[in-house]
Amino acid sequence: MLFTSYEFVAFLFLVLVLYYVLPGKFQWQFLLFAGYLFYFAAGPTYLLYILTTTVTVWFAACRMEKVRERQTEYLKEHKDKLGKEEKKSYKAKMKSKLWRWLLLMLLFNLGILAVVKYSNFAIVNINRIISAAGGERTLSLRNLVLPMGISFYTFQALGYLIDVYRGTVKAEKNLFRFALFVSFFPQLVQGPISRFGDLSATLFKSHPFQARTVCFGLERVLWGYFKKLVIADRMLVGVNTIIGDTDTYRGAYVFVGMMFYALELYADFTGGIDITIGVAEAMGIRVTENFNRPFFSKSIKEYWRRWHITMGTWFTDYIFYPISVCRPMLKVSKFARAHFGEQIGKRVPVYLSSFAVWLATGIWHGAGWNFVAWGLGNWIIIMISQEFEPLYEKFHGRFRVEGKTPWKMFQILRTILLMSCLRMFDCYRDVPLTFRMFGSMFTRWDMSIFRDGSMYGLGLSGPDYMVLLAGTVLMIAVSCIQRKGKVREMIAEKPYPVRFVIWYGLFLAVLLLGAYGAGYDASQFIYNQF
């Protein structure tokens, strides 16, 4: 049941009506039912996977909480009898138990994710090794179903478990409440990856009907549909044409394709997140923001603080920091300091931890070497940028460009181009082909395609380009206005006729200008595959 399907619109209308008709104390139970109904509609067999993750993580978290409670009680009862070393030894013993539960659940649930998502990728590479070694027998590919949003709900559940292990949140004793946290239907499709402490603050509370809350939520949903249907799905036609015929569309076409894809991906992903947050907001539930105007970033590092924020913070909190301060890493750092100097020694933990993060980020996005190359490409650029920071500071001091508008525009444009180039790995899905197509921009560039009408051969007409231009300008304008506050609140202060024209006009734009196509079947959101 895609967000852009008629079925989802009907489903959402029914859910909102019943949600506010029911007494407040039953609202969260109803959302649990709605979440599983939504997931069942996507595929009945998918339920087995999400139920397995939910039950195993909930059980392990409860056991870990009991270990922690038993430790607190024991230390309280024997505080006058135990010496310092005895207390330390007992705490270490209890922490070991917690660690075993955590490790078991990480291996089990990440194992499920690895099997369903990466088995065929592993088999293909094993077969290549066998063939290279002269072997004749190869392994057969597995026809495994990939449950919708498995990466998102797995990471969300495991993030909760790690927080319980660390003691930053208490384990949820009610299985059904925890099940709702994992299966909250607006974020099942493509996130955000919520933290239990954040989402639970409003998820389980009763929410009386408030017209302003519902209207604000639905307004954001409408904005998400505009970005998805009017911009992303229309741009998809041109992107598919360019990447679908690599013999014809080279040189300047590659540049056009990568810029089209950057726009399509942004409109598609942020549009889906707008729908997610808007649906939750219409029910009085706060979901973490996942974007903060990423294309205004002045560096790749800043870009990743603004793009897919919940994923970035997940990898930072649960991979980067644990690896950078673990005992083996400290030993490696100490060795590097002793043999290669202080400067290199203190960089080693950062470089290796960042490498692990970006390798995991690439693999998380998909089972393919192109995603690995994409992740490591980000890592290389960020590391080089960090090394060049002293040179940047000297340059800024010498020419006094820091903070000036032309220099900011240059930095923003540079970031957009770098990210668009890296996203080519996502477009072409083949590493050697990606490099060939990238190289063709420098060897087969032909400016005539922008003058001779060739751009109309991409499946987009003159009116399509006009709609895309107007939609892009509107997106940029909204992003700029948001720097001063929420656009919806600004609109809410306007007289009713003005508000009506704005929102009814946007509704008509979605209805009349959406790229529905013949026999309309909404295109899947790009991040559904993750």
Side-chain angles (χ1 to χ4, degrees):
M1 193 189 302
L2 298 176
F3 278 177
T4 48
S5 66
Y6 298 130
E7 292 83 357
F8 178 77
V9 174
F11 173 79
L12 177 59
F13 174 78
L14 185 61
V15 166
L16 286 176
V17 170
L18 294 177
Y19 181 79
Y20 283 113
V21 167
L22 288 169
K25 63 180 180 180
F26 296 121
Q27 285 178 331
W28 74 264
Q29 292 96 326
F30 172 69
L31 286 181
L32 176 61
F33 169 77
Y36 277 98
L37 180 62
F38 177 84
Y39 211 70
F40 178 84
T45 56
Y46 294 174
L47 286 175
L48 177 63
Y49 292 93
I50 194 170
L51 280 170
T52 299
T53 295
T54 299
V55 173
T56 55
V57 171
W58 171 80
F59 178 78
C62 289
R63 296 302 303 173
M64 291 165 69
E65 192 67 37
K66 285 189 176 180
V67 170
R68 200 179 300 279
E69 290 172 355
R70 188 161 61 246
Q71 172 183 311
T72 302
E73 292 176 0
Y74 181 83
L75 292 176
K76 185 177 180 180
E77 292 176 0
H78 299 81
K79 63 179 180 179
D80 297 328
K81 301 177 182 178
L82 297 175
K84 184 177 180 180
E85 290 301 320
E86 291 175 313
K87 289 181 180 179
K88 185 177 179 180
S89 175
Y90 179 77
K91 288 180 180 179
K93 180 181 177 181
M94 293 297 103
K95 188 173 183 179
S96 177
K97 289 184 178 181
L98 295 175
W99 169 246
R100 287 198 294 270
W101 275 112
L102 176 63
L103 183 61
L104 176 63
M105 288 299 103
L106 289 176
L107 292 175
F108 179 74
N109 285 285
L110 291 177
I112 294 175
L113 178 61
V115 169
V116 300
K117 193 171 182 177
Y118 305 105
S119 289
N120 285 338
F121 174 64
I123 290 171
V124 167
N125 285 282
I126 291 172
N127 287 341
R128 287 176 179 173
I129 295 173
I130 293 174
S131 298
E136 297 182 357
R137 295 188 62 183
T138 57
L139 302 175
S140 300
L141 296 178
R142 299 290 182 261
N143 186 23
L144 296 175
V145 61
L146 182 62
M148 177 182 68
I150 185 171
S151 296
F152 289 102
Y153 73 69
T154 299
F155 274 38
Q156 182 160 307
L158 293 182
Y160 157 81
L161 187 66
I162 296 172
D163 286 341
V164 172
Y165 168 78
R166 293 175 174 176
T168 55
V169 300
K170 284 190 171 294
E172 173 55 63
K173 301 296 179 65
N174 188 317
L175 172 60
F176 299 105
R177 285 164 62 97
F178 178 69
L180 173 58
F181 166 72
V182 177
S183 65
F184 184 46
F185 77 88
Q187 61 181 34
L188 276 175
V189 175
Q190 55 182 357
I193 305 173
S194 297
R195 304 293 178 93
F196 186 79
D198 296 330
L199 186 58
S200 63
T202 54
L203 183 61
F204 306 120
K205 292 183 178 179
S206 62
H207 299 281
F209 177 82
Q210 293 180 336
R212 180 183 174 90
T213 298
V214 175
C215 287
F216 266 37
L218 294 182
E219 286 167 2
R220 183 152 185 181
V221 170
L222 182 60
W223 178 237
Y225 277 127
F226 175 83
K227 290 198 284 188
K228 168 62 176 172
L229 295 174
V230 177
I231 301 176
D233 284 359
R234 176 171 275 101
M235 189 64 78
L236 177 64
V237 176
V239 173
N240 284 343
T241 301
I242 292 173
I243 67 176
D245 187 354
T246 55
D247 292 328
T248 302
Y249 298 106
R250 291 172 173 263
Y253 283 115
V254 176
F255 177 80
V256 171
M258 77 180 196
M259 298 310 297
F260 276 14
Y261 183 71
L263 178 61
E264 180 212 345
L265 179 64
Y266 175 78
D268 185 283
F269 196 10
T270 60
I273 294 298
D274 285 332
I275 295 172
T276 291
I277 296 177
V279 170
E281 187 176 358
M283 295 183 287
I285 298 169
R286 289 194 303 273
V287 174
T288 306
E289 292 289 345
N290 214 25
F291 291 90
N292 181 21
R293 299 181 295 279
F295 284 119
F296 287 88
S297 304
K298 295 182 285 294
S299 68
I300 299 293
K301 188 176 182 180
E302 181 185 354
Y303 174 91
W304 281 109
R305 289 199 299 264
R306 294 168 171 257
W307 175 281
H308 207 342
I309 297 170
T310 57
M311 183 199 70
T313 55
W314 198 99
F315 280 110
T316 299
D317 292 345
Y318 302 128
I319 295 182
F320 179 84
Y321 288 129
I323 291 178
S324 62
V325 299
C326 68
R327 288 184 180 180
M329 183 62 72
L330 295 178
K331 290 182 179 179
V332 170
S333 178
K334 184 178 180 181
F335 177 85
R337 290 171 189 264
H339 291 80
F340 304 108
E342 181 69 19
Q343 292 300 318
I344 293 179
K346 70 180 183 181
R347 285 174 168 80
V348 167
V350 176
Y351 288 173
L352 294 181
S353 301
S354 298
F355 176 84
V357 165
W358 283 109
L359 178 62
T361 303
I363 294 173
W364 181 87
H365 275 82
W369 288 110
N370 60 305
F371 291 110
V372 173
W374 170 81
L376 296 184
N378 278 278
W379 173 71
I380 290 171
I381 292 175
I382 291 174
M383 291 300 100
I384 291 175
S385 297
Q386 287 185 354
E387 286 301 315
F388 281 6
E389 281 183 0
L391 293 179
Y392 296 154
E393 292 177 1
K394 290 182 180 179
F395 177 81
H396 296 158
R398 173 67 177 83
F399 295 98
R400 302 184 184 279
V401 295
E402 186 68 14
K404 295 184 178 180
T405 300
W407 180 248
K408 288 181 180 179
M409 295 301 296
F410 166 76
Q411 290 177 305
I412 290 171
L413 181 60
R414 178 189 61 189
T415 302
I416 292 173
L417 289 174
L418 283 173
M419 286 307 306
S420 298
C421 289
L422 287 171
R423 290 290 185 191
M424 289 177 65
F425 289 110
D426 193 10
C427 289
Y428 292 103
R429 302 295 175 98
D430 180 85
V431 177
L433 176 62
T434 300
F435 281 111
R436 288 199 299 271
M437 300 310 291
F438 179 79
S440 74
M441 288 193 292
F442 303 95
T443 59
R444 298 183 58 175
W445 186 270
D446 184 4
M447 287 292 293
S448 65
I449 69 167
F450 301 107
R451 302 188 302 268
D452 61 10
S454 297
M455 294 295 289
Y456 295 119
L458 301 179
L460 297 170
S461 63
D464 284 325
Y465 284 113
M466 292 177 63
V467 170
L468 285 172
L469 177 61
T472 302
V473 170
L474 180 59
M475 278 202 309
I476 294 173
V478 169
S479 293
C480 292
I481 294 171
Q482 282 179 334
R483 301 171 72 176
K484 299 179 180 179
K486 293 184 178 180
V487 174
R488 288 173 296 167
E489 293 181 356
M490 297 178 187
I491 294 174
E493 296 174 356
K494 304 296 182 183
Y496 177 77
V498 176
R499 300 201 307 269
F500 177 81
V501 169
I502 292 173
W503 293 117
Y504 188 63
L506 191 64
F507 173 76
L508 286 180
V510 173
L511 193 65
L512 302 177
L513 302 178
Y516 299 100
Y520 170 62
D521 181 17
S523 297
Q524 174 172 281
F525 284 89
I526 294 174
Y527 265 68
N528 280 20
Q529 63 187 297
F530 306 138

